[in-house]
């Protein structure tokens, strides 16, 4: 019985950097209120207790799916 060899990708994959609501507002130029309305509509966010963090890639994909390019 021979053991299978698993080969992992050579490029290194990094976890996405999560940003704060303030950084998200600066990046897109919308107000905090505008993003709070988007959260109520289902925009993806990661919550730790009372803190909100956002993955910019997830937010971009969600906005494109919701509002178009």
């Amino acid at each position: 019985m021979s053991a299978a060899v698993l080969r992992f990708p050579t490029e290194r994959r990094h976890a996405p950097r999560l940003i704060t609501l303030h950084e998200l507002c600066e990046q897109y130029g919308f107000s905090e209120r505008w993003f709070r309305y988007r959260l109520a509509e289902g925009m993806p966010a990661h919550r730790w207790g009372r803190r909100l963090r956002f993955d910019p890639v997830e937010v971009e994909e969600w906005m494109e799916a919701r509002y178009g390019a």
Side-chain angles (χ1 to χ4, degrees):
M1 196 167 167
S2 62
V5 176
L6 297 176
R7 302 206 185 273
F8 294 99
T10 55
E11 75 273 359
R12 191 127 174 126
R13 296 180 189 238
H14 297 284
R17 180 181 178 275
L18 300 179
I19 61 176
T20 64
L21 181 59
H22 180 71
E23 291 171 325
L24 195 64
C25 293
E26 288 179 353
Q27 182 174 344
Y28 287 100
F30 295 116
S31 68
E32 183 177 328
R33 177 186 284 183
W34 190 88
F35 279 109
R36 295 234 179 246
Y37 283 131
R38 303 301 77 86
L39 282 169
E41 293 175 351
M43 185 175 77
H46 301 274
R47 297 179 191 265
W48 286 283
R50 294 176 53 195
R51 295 181 182 176
L52 282 174
R53 296 294 184 265
F54 302 90
D55 180 354
V57 175
E58 287 179 357
V59 171
E60 184 78 27
E61 290 172 354
W62 184 85
M63 289 175 65
E64 284 179 5
R66 180 119 179 143
Y67 301 109

